Amino acid sequence: MIKPFDKPIYVTKPFLPPLEEFQRGLAEIWERAWLTNNGPIVEKFRAEMAEFCETENLCLFANGTLALQIALQGMGITGDVITTPYTFVATVHSLFWNKVRPVFVDIEPEHYTLDPKQVKTAITPWTSAILGVHVYGHPCRLEELERIARGHNLKLLYDAAHAFGVRVNGRPIGQFGDLSMFSFHATKLFHSVEGGMLTFGDARLRRLFDYLKNFGFENEVEVVMPGTNAKMNELQALMGRLVLKGMGEIVAKRRQLAEAYRWALKSVPGIRTAALPAPGVEYNHAFFPIEVDEKEFGASRDDLYNGLKEWNVFARRYFFPLVTDFACYRGMVREDELPVARSVASRIIALPIFSDLALDDVVRICEIIRHIQERRRLRPAGTTVGIANVAVAPA
Ligand code: T4K
């Protein structure tokens, strides 16, 4: 008998440092009464990040979306930008907020990142940049994109919201391309409650981004450009510093969970587990997506997604619908375009993965998946299947 979980198991759960450590930090903040505007904790966090990312060329922000908007603005990106429809909607919104037109091209089926061949054919005289997304933390085809960008004099930007801690051939992922944006949102493996970061190759950008995130202030009486407010605050930085200390533990635990999922799902027909990282990639296990082949599995992705909820498991269909299917972007591509992205979006489901999840929980989630499959075999689509209808379900 497979019992539902007592408490909801969500797709993710933030890693939290020991409460006493956070409280100690809070007490210091109280004492100082300095809450934001480039306080001392933000400064320390910046220095620690510089060490972690192996670069001084970085800026911290209130969140990843503002960071990306400022990056596009600061780098003067205009015209058309080639990007992916297979991402969180903030990637594309950031282009829109800069009055830049997204040109969507298809992804490759293994790691779901931009297909360089498609990128190449989409370049026109109006193209100013390529914006790749290291979706689920899997690096884009870095070398190929670099070659294309340099060959056509385009800027190469990465939305690395999912890729914090990833390294490629020994180099931190943020050192590829002209610029990378990281999200430190609570749902990410590394977080500062909310937060974001840009890393970039051109050292001059740091000053520019610092102006742009603080209203363009040079000093009390001078504003040198029309900036916005996108500063990280002291409480965010405090959380970030404490979570950063746990990075090794966070990734190690996720690796273990991912291996357990792979092991437990390898014999389930119709489930394709996440592709292994490419050679040379030190992966962060940010997500654990699986693809459901409806014919082979015997139930659809949505049957599985809804079925899991009956056992208190709240997986997510990241990234469905495709950005190009949202009302605000619909009509920008034809229905016969982006076949790979469409197909993946219709089959994908991200299973829970986070530090607090036990290996036994993973085994139980996989048993539930097998059970949902079996149940659908006994009661084919079209019949009402409730948790009470099956022998192995709880009373
Ligand atoms: N680019 C990409 C590729 C991104 O994925 C994102 C963000 C961005 C850009 C923008 O970066 P930020 O501006 O956010 O820094 C979530 C996050 O809000 C979003 O940050 C993230 N991507 C996206 C993939 O996921 P939702 O709407 O799915 O989140 P929500 O509230 O439904 O949370 C998901 C699950 O996490 C919940 O079911 C429970 C759990 N959860 C959530 C929160 C907020 C917790 O356990 N604790 C929490 O505090 O967007």
Side-chain angles (χ1 to χ4, degrees), residues 63 117 171 180 237 287 334 344:
N63 62 57
K117 284 195 294 298
R171 277 172 71 195
S180 301
F287 288 78
R334 291 192 319 270
V344 174

Side-chain angles (χ1 to χ4, degrees), residues 98-343:
N98 277 281
K99 298 190 167 50
V100 168
R101 192 172 79 105
V103 174
F104 296 102
V105 302
D106 213 349
I107 55 172
E108 48 82 26
E110 202 185 6
H111 291 116
Y112 316 125
T113 54
L114 273 182
D115 180 343
K117 284 195 294 298
Q118 306 288 332
V119 170
K120 215 169 168 181
T121 55
I123 294 171
T124 70
W126 290 272
T127 311
S128 61
I130 301 167
L131 174 56
V133 178
H134 303 312
V135 70
Y136 306 133
H138 287 297
C140 291
R141 301 276 170 101
L142 302 167
E143 276 178 24
E144 285 155 274
L145 291 180
E146 189 77 38
R147 218 174 300 127
I148 295 170
R150 298 304 153 239
H152 291 83
N153 204 18
L154 303 175
K155 293 281 183 225
L156 178 56
L157 287 77
Y158 289 116
D159 177 335
H162 305 168
F164 187 74
V166 171
R167 298 173 75 93
V168 182
N169 299 326
R171 277 172 71 195
I173 187 80
Q175 294 191 5
F176 292 84
D178 293 299
L179 171 140
S180 301
M181 177 282 281
F182 296 85
S183 164
F184 299 162
H185 185 264
T187 52
K188 301 294 183 293
L189 86 162
F190 171 78
H191 74 94
S192 56
V193 184
E194 294 254 11
M197 177 174 75
L198 296 177
T199 59
F200 36 85
D202 182 348
R204 291 170 303 180
L205 288 173
R206 180 168 161 195
R207 189 134 181 258
L208 179 62
F209 293 150
D210 281 343
Y211 282 133
L212 285 173
K213 75 176 183 191
N214 189 27
F215 312 102
F217 271 118
E218 171 70 32
N219 56 44
E220 263 181 58
V221 290
E222 245 180 301
V223 172
V224 294
M225 64 184 73
T228 184
N229 181 3
K231 299 176 299 278
M232 176 176 276
N233 68 47
E234 291 287 274
L235 279 81
Q236 290 175 290
L238 171 61
M239 179 64 90
R241 290 190 73 198
L242 297 177
V243 178
L244 191 59
K245 286 204 244 168
M247 256 311 270
E249 179 194 331
I250 292 168
V251 174
K253 178 66 188 290
R254 283 169 174 263
R255 185 180 307 121
Q256 244 188 349
L257 296 170
E259 279 166 12
Y261 269 128
R262 270 181 215 291
W263 174 81
L265 290 173
K266 71 172 186 284
S267 57
V268 182
I271 297 288
R272 181 196 162 203
T273 53
L276 289 167
V281 173
E282 287 168 55
Y283 186 45
N284 63 2
H285 303 276
F287 288 78
F288 195 85
I290 57 170
E291 283 179 49
V292 181
D293 180 323
E294 182 171 352
K295 252 197 187 142
E296 218 188 319
F297 183 66
S300 69
R301 183 273 310 270
D302 291 346
D303 285 336
L304 180 58
Y305 167 75
N306 290 316
L308 283 166
K309 289 184 189 170
E310 297 175 31
W311 272 269
N312 232 352
V313 178
F314 296 85
R316 288 294 287 266
R317 290 168 292 185
Y318 292 136
F319 287 96
F320 166 84
L322 287 184
V323 171
T324 43
D325 284 337
F326 286 126
C328 56
Y329 297 114
R330 215 173 285 150
M332 293 193 76
V333 292
R334 291 192 319 270
E335 278 192 12
D336 60 345
E337 288 178 295
L338 313 172
V340 180
R342 280 184 205 288
S343 162

